[in-house]
Structure formats: structure tokens, C-alpha cells
Amino acid sequence: MHTLVLQTDFGLMDGAVSAMKGVACQVHPQLTVSDLTHDIPQYDIWSASYRLIQTVEYWPKGTVFVSVVDPGVGSHRRSIAVRLVTGQVIITPDNGTISHLLHQQKIEEVREIDEVESRLPHSQESHTFHGRDIYAYNGARLACGEIRFEEIGSLVSLESLETLPIKDAVLEDNTLKGIIDILDIRFGSLWTNIPLSLVKELNLEAEDYVMVLISHKGKRVYQNVMQFVRSFAQVDVGEPLVYINSLTNLGVAVNQDSFSKLYHIGIGVEWEIGIKKVDAKLVKLYQ
């Protein structure tokens, strides 16, 4: 028996998440159900996609994730089961939720769930809560071994999946160029898609100074010089910094404040960031 992990944009203010867990318990009373998050911003498929890539690799082979951020519930969008090369499974709408996993070539096989046949018994008249009636139900059946992955539906080609546009980071003209992939929600730090490997190519070392430029839809919204540091404590409270985050990508933050709130920064491919080394002797000219 494997663990079932739930992710939604439902929040915990009503009984929706509890109903999903109840369905899982009906399938098998000993099934362990855990939570990834239920605070995905409403209808934000991009954030749901990112939180999966952030999390799934830390769970054992066979773990089943149910991700429900589904603004198209009840429409013609497909319901799919996705098996990763590392053995975890994701049950989700085919609406872009698996974009980051697909982009990083983490997906081994995809099958379409029959929304008429493979659903909670006696739920046929409900068309607005597939998270409970289809995703939690089938996720629990897979997690407890009631059905095998191959039995959940017909094969789907990877090329037919709905995806969101994703840009790769590059090192170009001695500048790291990427996007703001996501926010560290609690603390307001910016997590970019610029990997440590590119940081090393730039020969960026701790306590170097960098120029940070952030643009939205091609319009510059932020520019400043700050230090590249190993930890927040290396700069004064209220000072900005650049660092390597827990996913070994470049992050931008303000020590003990929210960078995203202070400067109204968002996420996605329209939020671009450039980072370039600055000679320490010239720093005062920029400040």
C-alpha cells in the first residue's frame, strides 16, 4: 500500500478536502492520506504544475498524487493518470498541470481515465466535483493496490497533452537570463528557473555583487545591485540579496521582508529576470 498525497486550490474553509479524504478512506480505511497543499491560488494551473515538480521526487516510488486545480471541470478536458520515470503517479486534469514534469522529461506513461465508468459509485449526476468523484477515488484505488496503473484507462501520447509555455534559463552575454518560476509564498522570495550549473558557469561566488533586472511583458519593473550570499544572515535586515534556494536554483529576497509584495512581482514566463556580475569597486556608483 502506498501513500495518497492531495493538492488543490480548495483551501480548508469548507468540507471539500475532507470529502476527498473520506472517499479515500471508503476505498481503504488503512490508506495513509497526506497533503501537499490546498492553498494553490484559485485556478492557478502554473503554480500547481510547479508545486508538483518541487515535491514529487522526495516521495517513494508508488506514491500517488492527486492534483486538482480544475477551472474546466465538467468540460471536455481529459482526466489523466501520469506515471513518472521514478515510479510516482499523478491523477489530474489534462490542463497543463504536468507541464514542468513533462518539460523536464520526468514522465514515462500517461493514461486517460474514463470519467463515466471509473468514478465514485452513485456520483454520476455530479459534474462539478471531479476532485472527489474521480481523482480522489481513482487515486485511492491505485494507492491501495485495488487497481494497477495499466488498468486505469487507455494510453495517451505525450505529444497530445495540454501544456503551458515554459522557458529555459540561459547564460548570454555574461548575463544569467531566466524567469520568476514561483514565489516562496510564506516569505515572499522570488524563485527563478536559473540553475546552479549556470551560476557556476558565470563564476559567481559568495559575496560577489550582481545587478538584478526584472521585467514584466518586456517592461522593466525593478533594477538594483545586491550581494550574492549563502544565507540571509549575511546581509542586514531589510536588505536585498541573491542566493541559492532549496531546489538549487537562484533566488532573490529581502532579509525578513517580502520581495514580491514590496515590488509587486509575479510569476510565470512573462516575468523575466537578468543577473549580471558587477565589479565591487563600482558598487557605490549604482547605490
Side-chain angles (χ1 to χ4, degrees), residues 117-142:
E117 298 296 329
S118 298
R119 62 183 300 141
L120 182 68
H122 314 298
S123 68
Q124 288 82 0
E125 298 303 319
S126 173
H127 304 287
T128 59
F129 198 178
H130 286 177
R132 176 196 64 196
D133 300 334
I134 296 172
Y135 302 137
Y137 177 66
N138 282 289
R141 295 173 76 207
L142 278 173

Side-chain angles (χ1 to χ4, degrees), residues 23 31 37 43 51 218 220 273:
V23 166
L31 183 63
T37 179
Y43 320 120
R51 295 307 178 194
R220 187 171 298 175
I273 185 167

Side-chain angles (χ1 to χ4, degrees), residues 59-180:
W59 285 84
K61 178 180 179 180
T63 301
V64 179
F65 290 79
V66 166
S67 180
V68 190
V69 178
D70 194 12
V73 63
S75 68
H76 293 297
R77 63 97 188 93
R78 297 180 294 191
S79 294
I80 54 174
V82 178
R83 183 165 62 193
L84 306 185
V85 295
T86 46
Q88 300 90 346
V89 174
I90 299 164
I91 307 291
T92 189
D94 180 21
N95 60 6
T97 303
I98 45 74
S99 294
H100 284 85
L101 290 164
L102 185 63
H103 186 73
Q104 295 188 23
Q105 299 180 328
K106 303 286 189 181
I107 295 177
E108 178 181 80
E109 185 174 296
V110 180
R111 292 182 176 269
E112 182 175 1
I113 300 170
D114 187 328
E115 295 182 357
V116 176
E117 298 296 329
S118 298
R119 62 183 300 141
L120 182 68
H122 314 298
S123 68
Q124 288 82 0
E125 298 303 319
S126 173
H127 304 287
T128 59
F129 198 178
H130 286 177
R132 176 196 64 196
D133 300 334
I134 296 172
Y135 302 137
Y137 177 66
N138 282 289
R141 295 173 76 207
L142 278 173
C144 75
E146 182 177 309
I147 57 171
R148 296 182 297 112
F149 182 82
E150 291 77 12
E151 298 172 321
I152 203 164
S154 57
L155 279 171
V156 171
S157 69
L158 300 189
E159 294 75 20
S160 72
L161 295 172
E162 292 291 330
T163 57
L164 305 173
I166 295 178
K167 294 180 181 178
D168 288 318
V170 296
L171 175 57
E172 188 175 272
D173 299 326
N174 293 316
T175 302
L176 296 168
K177 298 180 178 180
I179 64 171
I180 310 301

